[in-house]
Amino acid sequence: MKAYILSPEGIVNEEIITKAKNTWTLKGNSIPDKAGVRFDFDVKSGNFSGDYEVAYQLTTNITCFKNGSIISLKSEKSDESYTVPAENLTEFYGTSLLLGGQVNANGEASVTDGSDLDFGLNLASNRPPFGSYPL
């Protein structure tokens, strides 16, 4: 699993997701700003059979500070689980999950699906589970 982290300054860094490294803090110094993370999952080729449970738990927090005080805060949790048959595993896992956050010109924080962020990867596919394989 890889994460592409897009900072508010527009810089993209690629990192491998591990148990020890699975959170990121992105700090912008002006408003409006946007930032996000793109998670890419790839299944290695193999002889897959049976069903696989695919799940993720995410928390996205966006906070806007002014003079050291919080003026806007938005938090959103995602917790999804899916059962994917072996014949669909490569299709399901060969795509990505996007998350984004922004603070607009009025200082209002919001969590977005990240679809409007440019990670500079020239990839247009979005990760299921948007209706594909519900548990």
Side-chain angles (χ1 to χ4, degrees):
M1 293 175 22
K2 291 182 184 178
Y4 297 92
I5 299 91
L6 175 64
S7 74
E9 294 79 26
I11 299 168
V12 177
N13 290 309
E14 177 184 322
E15 297 185 26
I16 301 296
I17 302 170
T18 66
K19 288 183 180 181
K21 179 59 177 170
N22 58 24
T23 63
W24 292 271
T25 300
L26 306 174
K27 182 178 179 182
N29 293 315
S30 60
I31 56 173
D33 71 17
K34 291 183 182 181
V37 180
R38 175 187 173 112
F39 299 102
D40 277 359
F41 304 83
D42 290 310
V43 171
K44 298 184 185 308
S45 60
N47 187 14
F48 302 111
S49 63
D51 293 334
Y52 293 81
E53 183 177 345
V54 180
Y56 63 85
Q57 294 178 326
L58 304 168
T59 302
T60 306
N61 297 306
I62 311 298
T63 308
C64 182
F65 292 91
K66 183 175 182 180
N67 298 326
S69 298
I70 295 174
I71 61 170
S72 181
L73 171 66
K74 180 70 176 178
S75 183
E76 192 170 295
K77 291 185 178 185
S78 301
D79 185 355
E80 301 288 344
S81 181
Y82 302 88
T83 299
V84 183
E87 61 267 19
N88 299 113
L89 189 62
T90 303
E91 172 191 341
F92 185 90
Y93 253 130
T95 52
S96 61
L97 170 66
L98 303 175
L99 290 176
Q102 64 182 10
V103 176
N104 69 17
N106 296 321
E108 298 163 333
S110 63
V111 177
T112 71
D113 66 5
S115 60
D116 63 338
L117 297 175
D118 181 9
F119 289 85
L121 301 174
N122 297 322
L123 300 172
S125 64
N126 285 329
R127 173 177 166 75
F130 306 115
S132 294
Y133 305 102
L135 178 62

